[in-house]
Amino acid sequence: MPEQIDVLHVDDDPSVLDLTAAYLDRELSAVAVTSVTDPTDALDRLSERSFDCVVSDYDMPGMDGLAFFDALRKRDRRVPFVLYTGKGSEEIASQALNAGVTGYFQKGGPEQLRRLANRVDQAVEEHRTREVADRYSTVIDALAYPVYVVDDSGVFTFVNEPFAALTGYDREEIIGSTPDLIKGPDAVAEAENRLGNVLSSTSPNVEHFGVDIVPKDGEPIPCRDHMAALPYEGECFEGSVGILRDVSDEHERREELETKTRALDEAPVGITITDPDRSDNPMVYVNDRFVEMTGYGREEAVGVNCRFLQGDDTDEASIERLRRAINAGEPESVEMLNYRKDGTEFWNRVSIAPIRDDDGQVTEWVGFQEDITAFKEREAALKRQNERLDSFAGIVSHDLRNPLNVAQGRVDLAAKARDGDDEHLSTAADALDRIETIVDHTLTLAREGESVGDPEAVSLAAVAADSWDTVDTDVAAMEIETDGAVRADPDRLRNLFENLIRNAVEHAGDNITVRVGDLPDGFYVEDDGPGIPEAIRDDLFEPGESGVDGNTGFGLAIVHEIATAHGWDVSVTDAETGGARFEIRGVTRRVEAA
């Protein structure tokens, strides 16, 4: 059903008003005519309500038709205005058209009235179309999307400013050109095929497709084109209209996501992601390494909780630690025995962490699964080796020390019987004392190589000072230039300092200064003695190496073993004063002392 046309007709002759209303009612399918004899009243009516078209006489008392039109336009009224007058002349017609009226007609018989009705109908339709277009234009401008119109010959007839800004061309350069100005041959062909789909009766009215826009300067810009045909009737195709959307950021985000996904898929550790919002917190992603490590395919793992890797010998305490961490929304790491699909066991280091949204809510859990079976086997072998070594050390301590003590005692009794005046007995006593020292250092070296299990925060300054007090340093001096703390076994760290201090006093002489200070990743112990020759530095930490007569050469080997047991590195270099400087690096520091 056609939309009703509301017409306001102004004429000082009531008979003309009646006749015109009758013709308009007959000629137009849906019209409502409001007739007014006074232009001033007409302006009041226009203030009260809206009309689709105004028809006005020219020669009226108080205000002529053009004055009425001028008053109407000052009120920003865009309603179509048709001047329909009995006092026609070329001068009035010229004035009317120059003023901007929609139409000008002289009063006449039935034919002229039919023309008036037709012009009213046409003017209203054009006005309504223009208003719709303006509304769409306002929406398009607000969206700030690039918009184009191409006519039936394939030439741009309209582009907006965002379109020009996207391409780098001025609007004047684009309008009148063909799309190959901003597209490659393949993109032009794709757009033509898409338009063909739109024009076919079986396809959607709008096509959405990707296109690379080639700007005046720079690299092609990836966009999405939303194309439709301009409205037309019958077979008269008039062209196409499209809206472009720059998707460069989306492409970058997609490439970044693909890179991250590839990194997850190809990571050397098993990675899982679970969804806590779903029942039983099932896995929603597993990577290639997880599949390889467990033997379960993605289709078997995704959608279920990862507890299917657990078995009879899985430590319940580790499971409980993970459960508590998930309930608290905190990260956790445990080592647990798991089972592959084929039933074989493997040790799994499982680390989990929550993924939170902007509001701090946990949206997913990420898990890292590392097969540490080989490490556990080496750890067990090392434990067995240490047990054997400890057993050997016990045997040495008991079975060797007992006869050694007997020999020392007998030599001592023999020396006293001869009033200590036997050179051979004195030499034998010295040899036995050296054997005892070697036994003690051998036992220390064997035991210091064991890994440090539970380190604690230890003050470097305090341990260094205690160690200084337990070593015979004679007239040597110590300077402590550290107030930090490290994670270490206190007893072994004290043994390390004792051996370094003893080494400095024995090698550098009595009248030296030993200095302890910080490094960015550790600490150092140095002296101001003669230093250590380059030729012997490579073998300095080997057992038995010593440049001092009567020294067993085990002290620095013990230092090396203690450092290694902590996971530290120890090296020797020159001090600024020219003496020896031992640097211990790879140390876990703590700001405050224990």
Side-chain angles (χ1 to χ4, degrees):
M1 182 177 179
E3 187 177 355
Q4 179 175 287
I5 298 174
D6 290 324
V7 177
L8 176 63
H9 189 190
V10 186
D11 197 306
D12 60 337
D13 187 342
S15 62
V16 172
L17 292 173
D18 291 342
L19 180 62
T20 303
Y23 263 86
L24 292 176
D25 187 59
R26 190 183 73 179
E27 297 295 327
L28 302 178
S29 57
V31 66
V33 180
T34 300
S35 301
V36 180
T37 57
D38 186 344
T40 302
D41 292 341
L43 291 172
D44 292 339
R45 292 292 183 91
L46 287 164
S47 298
E48 296 169 358
R49 54 168 294 195
S50 61
F51 290 89
D52 298 311
C53 184
V54 175
V55 177
S56 175
D57 189 12
Y58 173 74
D59 189 11
M60 294 181 290
M63 184 184 300
D64 63 31
L66 289 180
F68 173 51
F69 174 72
D70 185 58
L72 180 62
R73 282 294 179 262
K74 287 180 180 179
R75 299 188 180 190
D76 295 327
R77 307 291 286 183
R78 299 176 60 189
V79 62
F81 189 96
V82 177
L83 196 62
Y84 185 57
T85 179
K87 185 178 182 180
S89 68
E90 291 184 5
E91 180 181 359
I92 295 175
S94 177
Q95 290 178 357
L97 295 176
N98 287 335
V101 300
T102 309
Y104 172 83
F105 291 92
Q106 273 192 286
K107 293 178 181 178
E111 185 63 29
Q112 199 71 350
L113 284 167
R114 280 193 291 272
R115 289 177 180 170
L116 173 64
N118 183 61
R119 185 67 185 102
V120 167
D121 186 40
Q122 185 183 53
V124 170
E125 182 178 356
E126 291 173 352
H127 176 64
R128 288 175 174 172
T129 300
R130 186 164 55 250
E131 283 191 326
V132 172
D134 288 346
R135 285 196 293 270
Y136 279 120
S137 178
T138 300
V139 172
I140 291 173
D141 288 343
L143 293 174
Y145 284 139
V147 178
Y148 68 86
V149 176
V150 175
D151 66 14
D152 59 340
S153 66
V155 172
F156 284 112
T157 58
F158 170 80
V159 296
N160 64 353
E161 286 298 337
F163 190 97
L166 175 71
T167 62
Y169 291 95
D170 293 333
R171 294 180 64 201
E172 292 73 17
E173 294 179 90
I174 303 173
I175 294 174
S177 65
T178 54
D180 58 8
L181 175 70
I182 58 166
K183 296 180 183 178
D186 293 342
V188 171
E190 173 70 9
E192 291 174 351
N193 291 335
R194 297 287 185 156
L195 182 59
N197 292 339
V198 171
L199 296 176
S200 70
S201 58
T202 58
S203 296
N205 294 328
V206 179
E207 281 281 324
H208 309 272
F209 57 97
V211 58
D212 285 342
I213 297 299
V214 182
K216 191 173 185 177
D217 298 304
E219 297 297 318
I221 303 170
C223 295
R224 289 286 296 174
D225 194 341
H226 305 256
M227 175 192 289
L230 290 170
Y232 67 96
E233 296 182 2
E235 302 297 323
C236 186
F237 169 65
E238 296 185 4
S240 61
V241 60
I243 299 176
L244 296 178
R245 184 165 59 87
D246 184 348
V247 294
S248 300
D249 291 343
E250 293 178 17
H251 274 223
E252 291 179 3
R253 288 195 296 270
R254 185 179 301 114
E255 289 178 358
E256 181 182 0
L257 179 61
E258 290 173 354
T259 299
K260 291 179 178 179
T261 302
R262 202 160 49 245
L264 291 176
D265 288 341
E266 300 175 7
V269 297
I271 299 177
T272 62
I273 297 176
T274 67
D275 185 354
D277 291 333
R278 294 172 57 182
S279 176
D280 203 28
N281 193 19
M283 292 183 290
V284 294
Y285 168 84
V286 298
N287 72 341
D288 295 342
R289 177 58 183 147
F290 178 89
V291 172
E292 176 187 338
M293 184 170 63
T294 66
Y296 289 95
R298 282 187 170 84
E299 68 283 356
E300 298 173 284
V302 171
V304 295
N305 188 285
C306 62
R307 71 172 64 90
F308 63 79
L309 297 176
Q310 300 167 12
D312 294 340
D313 293 329
T314 302
D315 183 21
E316 186 62 35
S318 297
I319 299 173
E320 182 59 27
R321 282 174 59 188
L322 291 177
R323 187 178 295 120
R324 286 198 303 267
I326 291 173
N327 291 336
E330 297 175 349
E332 182 59 278
S333 181
V334 300
E335 295 177 359
M336 60 197 310
L337 190 67
N338 279 165
Y339 295 82
R340 297 184 179 91
K341 184 178 180 180
D342 62 7
T344 57
E345 299 176 348
F346 72 101
W347 278 97
N348 194 358
R349 179 180 287 125
V350 181
S351 301
I352 61 172
I355 300 175
R356 302 180 185 276
D357 59 19
D358 293 339
D359 296 327
Q361 297 298 313
V362 177
T363 56
E364 291 93 13
W365 282 87
V366 60
F368 299 94
Q369 323 242 350
E370 184 179 3
D371 186 346
I372 58 170
T373 304
F375 169 78
K376 282 289 189 179
E377 290 173 349
R378 288 194 301 271
E379 188 178 55
L382 182 60
K383 182 179 179 181
R384 290 192 297 272
Q385 179 180 336
N386 286 336
E387 288 173 350
R388 288 196 299 270
L389 187 58
D390 194 56
S391 176
F392 168 73
I395 293 172
V396 169
S397 177
H398 182 269
D399 294 356
L400 186 58
R401 193 182 296 277
N402 282 350
L404 177 63
N405 291 339
V406 170
Q408 287 175 318
R410 290 297 182 182
V411 168
D412 183 61
L413 289 173
K416 287 179 178 179
R418 289 173 173 76
D419 296 326
D421 192 24
D422 189 318
E423 179 182 353
H424 297 292
L425 289 175
S426 177
T427 301
D430 290 342
L432 290 173
D433 288 342
R434 180 165 175 76
I435 292 172
E436 184 177 30
T437 300
I438 291 174
V439 169
D440 289 339
H441 284 183
T442 301
L443 294 174
T444 300
L445 185 62
R447 286 163 176 158
E448 292 298 353
E450 298 178 4
S451 298
V452 175
D454 190 18
E456 59 186 77
V458 183
S459 168
L460 281 175
V463 172
D466 290 344
S467 301
W468 181 264
D469 292 339
T470 60
V471 176
D472 183 8
T473 56
D474 198 16
V475 294
M478 168 172 269
E479 294 180 0
I480 298 177
E481 299 177 353
T482 175
D483 59 359
V486 299
R487 298 285 297 177
D489 180 310
D491 292 333
R492 293 203 213 180
L493 182 61
R494 183 178 293 105
N495 201 348
L496 180 145
F497 272 108
E498 288 173 353
N499 278 281
L500 287 176
I501 293 169
R502 186 177 295 109
N503 179 78
V505 173
E506 292 175 352
H507 284 261
D510 295 334
N511 191 22
I512 63 163
T513 299
V514 178
R515 185 176 294 104
V516 178
D518 288 325
L519 295 173
D521 58 343
F523 59 92
Y524 67 85
V525 178
E526 66 179 19
D527 61 62
D528 56 2
I532 299 175
E534 287 276 358
I536 67 171
R537 290 185 183 180
D538 291 342
D539 299 323
L540 196 60
F541 296 104
E542 295 297 325
E545 293 295 329
S546 173
V548 178
D549 291 338
N551 191 291
T552 63
F554 280 88
L556 293 181
I558 292 173
V559 168
H560 183 269
E561 288 298 319
I562 294 173
T564 301
H566 283 83
W568 305 339
D569 296 318
V570 59
S571 62
V572 62
T573 185
D574 293 325
E576 292 182 3
T577 57
R581 176 181 173 115
F582 291 87
E583 295 184 344
I584 293 83
R585 296 182 178 273
V587 178
T588 301
R589 300 300 303 269
R590 287 293 181 269
V591 176
E592 297 179 358

